[in-house]
Amino acid sequence: MQDGNASALSAGEKISGSREKGLNRVLEILEFLHTTQRAIGIGDLAKGVNAPRSTTYTLVRSLVDAGLLEMQGDDNRVYFGKKLYLYGMDYVRGNDLLRRGRQEVDNLSRETGETSELCMLQSGRYTIVHASPGTRPFRISSATGLQIPLPWTASGRLLLAGLEKAEIEGMVSNDDLVLPDGRKLRLDDFVADIAKARITGYCVTSGLVDAYTKCLAAPVFSAPGKVEATMCLVVPIDTSEGRTGELIGLLRDRAAKLSIAV
Amino acid sequence: MQDGNASALSAGEKISGSREKGLNRVLEILEFLHTTQRAIGIGDLAKGVNAPRSTTYTLVRSLVDAGLLEMQGDDNRVYFGKKLYLYGMDYVRGNDLLRRGRQEVDNLSRETGETSELCMLQSGRYTIVHASPGTRPFRISSATGLQIPLPWTASGRLLLAGLEKAEIEGMVSNDDLVLPDGRKLRLDDFVADIAKARITGYCVTSGLVDAYTKCLAAPVFSAPGKVEATMCLVVPIDTSEGRTGELIGLLRDRAAKLSIAV
DNA sequence: AGCGATTGTCTCTTACAAGAGACGCGTGTA
DNA sequence: TACACGCGTCTCTTGTAAGAGACAATCGCT
């Protein structure tokens, strides 16, 4: 799931699809719903995940019966179900870091007025696990659950701290190194960034995901040297040196607080 | 999943288990983890869901790769993964009622100091979808995601309002009618309770789940006559008539507020 | 009314996943 | 040292689930 089957035709995919395991189909369905973020008809779902209609009907029925999916109202559309919400809450309950991290992110964005996020690696991909929007008039886009190429972000540089170059290379595709504005990042530069971020204990990137923001990030450790998550602030790119410094200080402080008791 | 395969040997189950569909195994695994509420070794998991070890290993690997499960730390134990949390948040985002209901429950328990809950039907079973503990010294047990037989609760009586007797009968097993203290509820009485609750627009039960509490519940409607959820308060059984009345008033008010905009 | 597109259900075939079981490894304990 | 036990991986067989495709029903459009 982590890559290569949503982007389909890329690498060593069996072209004609042939026979696919039911479980895999289900995983694709869930992932598809996660990207669409809305209920969808079963027929379209089948098209979307490139699965036979008959199979899709069967699987969806199973999932609806199990409560992982729900039929939306009276239409023939499906979306995530209560069961998934309950399992998700179970995850939160079993995960101190996430629970406290969410709290801390909410605090931070309330105190600073800036957009704040908690980020983690999710099957080798950068993921915004929790976000709190801040109070600025222009809305900085960042939805929970969004997945972004690691090299585009400050958090990405911290999350990979301590990995070997080879490992890093394995987690970053060539496409990932191409920034939204078309510029191509050199892998070596990225690796250097990571090493630097590791030493300084924080990371700032300017105008990477878009030209108007910069991203401040600080690491949360689950064990000495092991970066489990990052907290970050997304601020306008013209934020003054002084304020940026303040925010970084605050951010590092809070991230450190999260680290200790884990 | 809703019934009949966890309770296993009951009805028309193939006794020897023979060959089981992978997806079903997965659904059982998730449900099992939901009940244990903690990470568990793969071997034990296999025993727990009564699946062959080799199969369990394969499935768990798929699920871990997909991020639905995570290996716990260094041990060989697994539990829910980040993906499930993300899907769960998607569900919340797509569900106004749940989002606002959680909020309202938190408010209510803060204002009254009592334990407050949001309850819904989940594959035909009563489920505590969100709970907020209240401030009483003795803790009233009620975990999010807990599933309880419908007849044990005030909310259950409201959630079934408007259904035919036959439908109700289908959703309530004989075991469900036996209260925790051993008393057996008559189905007819339960059906009568439901009809009454429907008319009065709220429901109070005393000493059903345990001898020391009573449960006040009010319905949340998704459409005229359709009870989508209930809000409820769990209070000490010796709460005065007067205060009980106040609380019911408050509860009905909030539940109504939830109903309107849905 | 006529037509194309979509929806939900069903049947039948065969490719393949579920499962049995063996194996090697590490660990505790007698 | 020997034994029992649990873990993780692998191989091989066969029961069966995934998929192709046909079908009737419904919908929307002209």
Side-chain angles (χ1 to χ4, degrees):
Chain A
M1 182 62 44
Q2 53 264 51
D3 58 35
N5 56 10
S7 37
L9 51 106
S10 60
E13 283 284 317
K14 50 199 70 160
I15 324 94
S16 74
S18 74
R19 195 78 98 58
E20 189 50 280
K21 201 170 5 182
L23 177 52
N24 287 337
R25 289 256 121 102
V26 166
L27 296 177
E28 281 169 40
I29 287 174
L30 295 177
E31 202 55 22
F32 186 77
L33 289 175
H34 178 59
T35 63
T36 60
Q37 288 280 334
R38 58 131 85 47
I40 188 175
I42 301 183
D44 294 332
L45 183 57
K47 283 197 200 92
V49 299
N50 218 5
R53 235 160 45 85
S54 53
T55 307
T56 309
Y57 270 94
T58 321
L59 295 177
V60 167
R61 177 173 323 178
S62 285
L63 294 172
V64 169
D65 286 348
L68 296 206
L69 299 185
E70 280 173 19
M71 302 303 299
Q72 198 82 341
D74 38 2
D75 267 347
N76 68 325
R77 300 216 304 272
V78 286
Y79 195 52
F80 292 121
K82 265 185 275 298
K83 258 302 163 42
L84 284 173
Y85 161 73
L86 295 175
Y87 294 158
M89 296 315 282
D90 288 340
Y91 177 74
V92 175
R93 196 172 310 123
N95 197 315
D96 273 356
L97 177 59
L98 176 56
R99 199 167 55 240
R100 300 188 304 129
R102 287 174 55 115
Q103 192 64 48
E104 210 56 72
V105 161
D106 290 344
N107 292 344
L108 206 52
S109 85
R110 189 161 29 73
E111 291 170 28
T112 66
E114 308 289 354
T115 297
S116 174
E117 300 168 0
L118 181 72
C119 308
M120 295 184 177
L121 280 184
Q122 156 58 28
S123 351
R125 298 192 52 96
Y126 166 88
T127 307
I128 300 176
V129 165
H130 185 64
S132 187
T135 56
R136 297 212 170 258
F138 61 99
R139 181 59 71 92
I140 294 172
S141 74
S142 61
T144 302
L146 206 62
Q147 299 205 340
I148 299 179
L150 285 158
W152 298 12
T153 68
S155 293
R157 285 158 175 74
L158 289 166
L159 287 167
L160 298 182
L163 297 191
E164 298 297 328
K165 181 178 169 181
E167 296 177 281
I168 295 171
E169 212 167 339
M171 300 179 72
V172 176
S173 78
N174 263 325
D175 289 350
D176 289 349
L177 288 167
V178 179
L179 298 175
D181 61 8
R183 280 182 298 162
K184 174 88 189 286
L185 215 60
R186 286 186 47 236
L187 181 64
D188 287 339
D189 292 344
F190 183 53
V191 172
D193 277 3
I194 294 171
K196 178 155 162 266
R198 183 187 185 183
I199 294 166
T200 55
Y202 69 92
C203 183
V204 178
T205 57
S206 290
L208 250 47
V209 271
D210 69 74
Y212 315 104
T213 58
K214 58 182 169 185
C215 187
L216 326 178
V220 178
F221 296 97
S222 61
K226 170 135 180 56
V227 180
E228 183 74 17
T230 65
M231 292 184 69
C232 75
L233 288 170
V234 182
V235 302
I237 201 165
D238 57 6
T239 304
S240 72
E241 275 298 312
R243 173 150 167 86
T244 302
E246 275 174 39
L247 289 176
I248 290 176
L250 190 59
L251 198 57
R252 296 184 65 182
D253 184 53
R254 298 305 169 83
K257 260 176 59 186
L258 274 183
S259 298
I260 37 177
V262 178
Chain B
M1 182 62 46
Q2 53 266 49
D3 58 36
N5 56 8
S7 36
L9 51 104
S10 58
E13 284 283 318
K14 48 201 68 159
I15 324 95
S16 74
S18 74
R19 195 80 96 60
E20 189 49 281
K21 201 168 8 181
L23 178 52
N24 287 338
R25 289 257 122 101
V26 166
L27 297 176
E28 281 170 40
I29 287 174
L30 295 177
E31 202 54 23
F32 186 77
L33 288 175
H34 179 58
T35 63
T36 60
Q37 288 279 335
R38 58 131 84 49
I40 187 174
I42 302 182
D44 294 332
L45 183 57
K47 282 196 200 93
V49 299
N50 218 4
R53 233 160 45 86
S54 54
T55 306
T56 309
Y57 270 94
T58 323
L59 294 177
V60 166
R61 176 170 326 177
S62 284
L63 293 173
V64 169
D65 286 348
L68 297 205
L69 300 185
E70 279 174 22
M71 303 302 299
Q72 197 83 338
D74 37 1
D75 267 349
N76 68 325
R77 302 215 303 271
V78 287
Y79 195 53
F80 291 123
K82 264 184 277 300
K83 259 303 163 41
L84 284 172
Y85 160 72
L86 295 175
Y87 294 158
M89 296 316 281
D90 288 340
Y91 177 74
V92 175
R93 196 172 311 123
N95 197 314
D96 273 355
L97 177 59
L98 175 56
R99 198 166 59 240
R100 300 187 303 128
R102 288 174 55 115
Q103 192 64 49
E104 210 57 71
V105 160
D106 290 343
N107 292 345
L108 206 53
S109 84
R110 189 162 29 74
E111 291 170 28
T112 65
E114 308 289 354
T115 296
S116 173
E117 300 168 359
L118 182 72
C119 307
M120 295 183 176
L121 280 184
Q122 156 59 30
S123 351
R125 297 193 51 96
Y126 166 88
T127 307
I128 300 176
V129 167
H130 184 65
S132 188
T135 56
R136 297 211 170 260
F138 61 98
R139 182 59 69 94
I140 293 172
S141 75
S142 62
T144 301
L146 207 62
Q147 297 204 341
I148 298 178
L150 284 158
W152 297 12
T153 68
S155 293
R157 285 159 175 73
L158 289 166
L159 287 167
L160 298 183
L163 297 191
E164 298 297 326
K165 181 176 172 184
E167 296 177 281
I168 295 171
E169 211 165 342
M171 301 179 71
V172 175
S173 76
N174 264 325
D175 290 349
D176 289 350
L177 289 168
V178 179
L179 298 175
D181 61 7
R183 280 181 299 161
K184 174 88 189 285
L185 215 61
R186 285 184 49 235
L187 181 64
D188 285 341
D189 291 344
F190 182 54
V191 172
D193 276 4
I194 294 172
K196 177 153 163 267
R198 183 186 185 185
I199 293 167
T200 54
Y202 69 91
C203 182
V204 178
T205 57
S206 291
L208 250 46
V209 271
D210 68 71
Y212 314 104
T213 58
K214 59 181 167 185
C215 188
L216 328 177
V220 178
F221 297 96
S222 61
K226 170 135 181 56
V227 180
E228 183 73 18
T230 65
M231 292 184 68
C232 74
L233 287 170
V234 183
V235 301
I237 202 165
D238 57 6
T239 303
S240 72
E241 274 297 314
R243 174 151 167 84
T244 302
E246 277 173 38
L247 289 176
I248 290 176
L250 190 59
L251 198 58
R252 296 184 65 180
D253 184 51
R254 299 305 170 87
K257 260 177 58 185
L258 273 183
S259 299
I260 38 178
V262 179

